[in-house]
Amino acid sequence: MKILVLLSQVPDTTARIAFTNGNTQFDASGVTFIVNPYDEWYALVRALELKEAVGAGSVTTITVGAADTEATIRKGLAIGADEAVRVDVQPTEALQVAEQVAAYAKDKGFDLILAGKETIDHNGGQVGAMVAELLDLPYIALASKLDLNGTTATVERDVPGGVEVMEVTLPFALSAAKGMAEQRIPNMRGIMAARTKPLTVIPAAVTDNVATTKSFELPPPKGAVKMIPAEEAGKLIELLHTEAKVI
Amino acid sequence: MSTIVFIDTRGDKLPKAAQEAVTYASKLAGGPVTAVTFGNGSNLESLGAQGASKVIVARGVIAVDGQQLTKLVTDVAAKEGVTTIVCVQDGTGKAVAPRVAAKLKAGHVAGAIALPEGNTFKRNVFSGKAQAFLEVTSPVKVISLMPNSIPIAKGEGTAAVEEYSGDLGPARITVKEVRKAGVGIPLPEAEIVVSAGRGMKGPENWGPIEELAQLLGGATACSRPVADMHWRPHHEHVGQTGVAIRPNCYIAIGISGAIQHLAGVNQSKVIAVINKDPEAPFFKAADYGIVGDAFEVLPKLIEAAKKLNADR
Ligand SMILES: Cc1cc2nc3c(=O)[nH]c(=O)nc-3n(C[C@H](O)[C@H](O)[C@H](O)COP(=O)(O)OP(=O)(O)OC[C@H]3O[C@@H](n4cnc5c(N)ncnc54)[C@H](O)[C@@H]3O)c2cc1C
Ligand SMILES: Nc1ncnc2c1ncn2[C@@H]1O[C@H](COP(=O)(O)O)[C@@H](O)[C@H]1O
């Protein structure tokens, strides 16, 4: 069982979102970076559980990013990944990231490729599907459950009004959403072991640019909140109907 | 320059998101477009009202197999000399649109929230805490529209429905079963959402939340701890790590308004907050607020909603 997990680095969920250079760049000053929660909590942990259940194999993480991502990459190793790969280039766009991952993975024979549902900074939910296309693999978006029986996998995902249960044969790729696993906190032994696990840095493949983020904008500040006394709570329904016109 | 739109129309009702995407594509193209879809959906000709002149449907494809559907979309695109492909940023779209983009080496706008200026599209980033302007520079563009981003066009016209006859290859993903969750309106499609948090004290107290949602014709949602404690099903969890929604009206009851919760709901048009703590952070993000005990406020809201329904 050879599993590849796509790990990205994102600003902490409580980070103040601000921009610099005429709103063209994220202002990273004072911001803590973390492993993207979907990648860490769901994709990586489920990969480790599957490896543990089979009792053999390896879990490799891959991150497309500059050297400043290495602390987050070590967190993945501390949680239990066997080895990590970093493709040495600043990510600029989804297809560029996917092409880097595909270039690395194409001749490695991974049985499973797991991405997170989406990065919490770019919110694209697209890199995993692009990797699957470039490697000609089936792909399931937003999986909430993954079980293996030999080379056959049962995968579930939430659909409007229910849960869809699917079957697919290895190798394939998916993006992991809530439900797939429970978050693991790295222990001291894991943190120590992570220091000596291999973190291989590889050069980037050449890719074409197909899209560029030109600038950012913060939403306009909210107007003042209109308070309604609790005794007259029913007025809220009236105001939502007559004033806001949303019910 | 020609435009097609790929939509999921399975089921007996045309999804709102599909009608929005056809509307968007035809506005983008400045005229009628071809829609591409799959499965056993009915009423496809009515997409003419949103600007589709033709609907090409692959009837034999039932499951969301991204490889088959990517072949379908790229086949039609090649045949019609298409340079713009509109999809929906939902479960189906996420399995297909990025694949189509990778195959055609096209720039992909994952979640456009408005019509573009030139080739520059606005989309949400940082979980709705900011927006970005993404310029697509490739000759072919794939644009996935965020649900609830534009009003549905209600024009005249009927689309010609044509069956796709090409070979899409075998399905590598098969659907074994669909377990119905018995929910009313799917959360991402709901215009009105009544949501509750840990302030409700326990799952046995959700009766009034459900009643209010039903009276207003809305869906119910909850904060993450509520789903984690199994008070409510997981698919109701909204926020940064749950479902991101953008209804017209979000009513939050007994939810503190943590930044991770706001990340999934801050795109709502109007937010009303009911919390007994006047310092609850949610009030800063609200349009309407009531400082009060949910158990006293809810009966008053239900009474007012009943009165409203009786009057209209
Ligand atoms: C990485 C990360 C991701 C997260 N993702 C999400 C997410 O996607 N969605 C999410 O919701 N959370 C998420 N969280 C958790 C989030 O930080 C909060 O802990 C959570 O939203 C709090 O839920 P709550 O408001 O229901 O509960 P609490 O914070 O306990 O708030 C309960 C509120 O109810 C009020 N209250 C109590 N009794 C009453 C009453 N009788 N009447 C009226 N009001 C009352 C209280 O004043 C309080 O404000 C995430 C956290 C992390 C670290
Ligand atoms: N720079 C990156 N390096 C490695 N994996 C990434 C990177 N960016 C995104 N991913 C993976 O792709 C998923 C979807 O990302 P996105 O399409 O940006 O929402 C993430 O949850 C990660 O698993």
Side-chain angles (χ1 to χ4, degrees):
Chain A
M1 178 63 44
K2 264 186 86 171
I3 308 177
L4 182 66
V5 177
L6 277 63
L7 276 197
S8 52
Q9 167 174 286
V10 295
D12 175 36
T13 55
T14 57
R16 192 181 69 98
I17 305 303
F19 303 97
T20 56
N21 273 342
N23 282 334
T24 59
Q25 254 177 345
F26 176 64
D27 182 358
S29 59
V31 171
T32 314
F33 285 87
I34 59 170
V35 184
N36 187 41
Y38 294 105
D39 309 357
E40 177 190 324
W41 304 357
Y42 308 134
L44 175 59
V45 174
R46 191 62 193 139
L48 295 170
E49 289 170 354
L50 289 173
K51 185 193 113 173
E52 287 157 11
V54 176
S58 61
V59 174
T60 305
T61 66
I62 183 164
T63 303
V64 178
D68 62 6
T69 60
E70 292 199 354
T72 29
I73 295 175
R74 291 273 175 216
K75 170 108 189 267
L77 293 172
I79 291 170
D82 298 291
E83 55 162 348
V85 174
R86 176 170 74 79
V87 184
D88 189 21
V89 62
Q90 192 65 40
T92 57
E93 197 273 319
L95 188 55
Q96 171 230 16
V97 172
E99 284 180 332
Q100 301 301 338
V101 174
Y104 166 78
K106 68 173 186 294
D107 51 7
K108 303 284 189 304
F110 288 107
D111 299 299
L112 256 179
I113 298 182
L114 305 184
K117 166 185 154 179
E118 66 180 31
T119 45
I120 63 168
D121 52 357
H122 292 293
N123 306 111
Q126 49 183 339
V127 170
M130 288 175 168
V131 170
E133 179 62 26
L134 297 170
L135 298 175
D136 192 25
L137 293 175
Y139 168 82
I140 293 168
L142 313 181
S144 55
K145 198 160 188 281
L146 162 64
D147 286 311
L148 280 182
N149 186 353
T151 58
T152 306
T154 307
V155 183
E156 295 188 3
R157 69 175 180 119
D158 291 347
V159 292
V163 174
E164 193 171 72
V165 185
M166 285 162 286
E167 220 170 72
V168 54
T169 307
L170 298 178
F172 69 95
L174 62 70
S175 73
K178 185 178 176 170
M180 175 143 302
E182 298 280 345
Q183 182 180 11
R184 276 189 192 181
I185 310 292
N187 57 23
M188 211 46 201
R189 225 181 73 215
I191 294 166
M192 297 305 287
R195 294 194 188 156
T196 53
K197 285 181 181 172
L199 194 171
T200 314
V201 180
I202 60 173
V206 178
T207 58
D208 288 333
N209 179 280
V210 292
T212 313
T213 294
K214 301 299 259 188
S215 63
F216 297 92
E217 180 180 278
L218 289 169
K222 269 272 180 195
V225 46
K226 191 171 210 165
M227 298 305 290
I228 300 155
E231 310 77 61
E232 297 163 33
K235 260 193 93 180
L236 171 64
I237 300 293
E238 245 175 82
L239 288 170
L240 288 174
H241 180 60
T242 54
E243 187 180 81
K245 295 188 173 44
V246 289
I247 64 172
Chain B
M1 193 187 96
S2 152
T3 301
I4 57 172
V5 48
F6 168 73
I7 47 181
D8 186 342
T9 57
R10 292 171 301 162
D12 32 69
K13 221 176 111 239
L14 273 176
K16 188 168 159 243
Q19 298 181 50
E20 290 170 352
V22 174
T23 303
Y24 184 89
S26 116
K27 282 205 177 357
L28 201 59
V33 293
T34 297
V36 182
T37 186
F38 62 104
N40 51 9
S42 46
N43 253 333
L44 301 180
E45 62 286 342
S46 73
L47 287 168
Q50 284 77 52
S53 53
K54 182 163 76 175
V55 181
I56 299 177
V57 50
R59 290 284 183 200
V61 179
I62 305 299
V64 178
D65 183 307
Q67 290 181 296
Q68 287 187 319
L69 293 172
T70 298
K71 175 137 199 311
L72 171 68
V73 173
T74 52
D75 249 23
V76 174
K79 225 168 273 157
E80 309 216 345
V82 163
T83 51
T84 305
I85 302 171
V86 175
C87 302
V88 179
Q89 183 79 350
D90 63 0
T92 301
K94 283 179 185 170
V96 179
R99 293 194 82 118
V100 170
K103 184 162 178 172
L104 302 178
K105 299 281 177 264
H108 178 219
V109 183
I113 56 173
L115 286 160
E117 303 231 349
N119 289 326
T120 302
F121 293 79
K122 190 170 178 174
R123 56 183 298 271
N124 288 326
V125 289
F126 297 100
S127 305
K129 287 174 233 165
Q131 282 80 43
F133 293 92
L134 182 73
E135 186 187 22
V136 180
T137 46
S138 53
V140 179
K141 299 178 207 31
V142 181
I143 300 130
S144 294
L145 179 68
M146 199 73 168
N148 288 349
S149 293
I150 56 162
I152 293 169
K154 300 253 191 277
E156 300 288 315
T158 318
V161 179
E162 197 177 282
E163 276 201 37
Y164 177 79
S165 56
D167 178 13
L168 297 176
R172 287 164 77 181
I173 297 171
T174 50
V175 175
K176 290 283 142 193
E177 184 194 347
V178 179
R179 288 202 303 271
K180 291 258 177 288
V183 289
I185 309 164
L187 197 45
E189 287 206 1
E191 306 267 18
I192 297 167
V193 174
V194 180
S195 186
R198 202 143 56 176
M200 290 309 291
K201 309 283 188 280
E204 67 282 4
N205 297 328
W206 246 261
I209 302 290
E210 285 178 338
E211 186 179 359
L212 182 61
Q214 208 211 337
L215 286 168
L216 299 176
T220 50
C222 68
S223 67
R224 179 171 141 206
V226 163
D228 283 352
M229 295 182 292
H230 304 292
W231 292 2
R232 298 297 294 174
H234 275 304
H235 61 77
E236 283 197 1
H237 157 199
V238 291
Q240 182 134 42
T241 45
V243 187
I245 54 171
R246 40 197 331 230
N248 281 332
C249 178
Y250 185 73
I251 304 179
I253 305 166
I255 302 177
S256 56
I259 191 159
Q260 298 94 351
H261 183 86
L262 294 180
V265 304
N266 57 11
Q267 300 279 312
S268 308
K269 205 165 134 205
V270 171
I271 296 179
V273 169
I274 294 124
N275 197 304
K276 69 172 186 192
D277 173 9
E279 302 297 320
F282 220 145
F283 285 119
K284 289 205 180 66
D287 301 285
Y288 296 96
I290 299 177
V291 177
D293 186 324
F295 297 96
E296 284 160 27
V297 168
L298 268 164
K300 295 202 170 74
L301 298 181
I302 287 171
E303 192 191 326
K306 281 186 180 153
K307 179 163 179 298
L308 177 68
N309 286 350
D311 291 350
R312 60 178 163 190

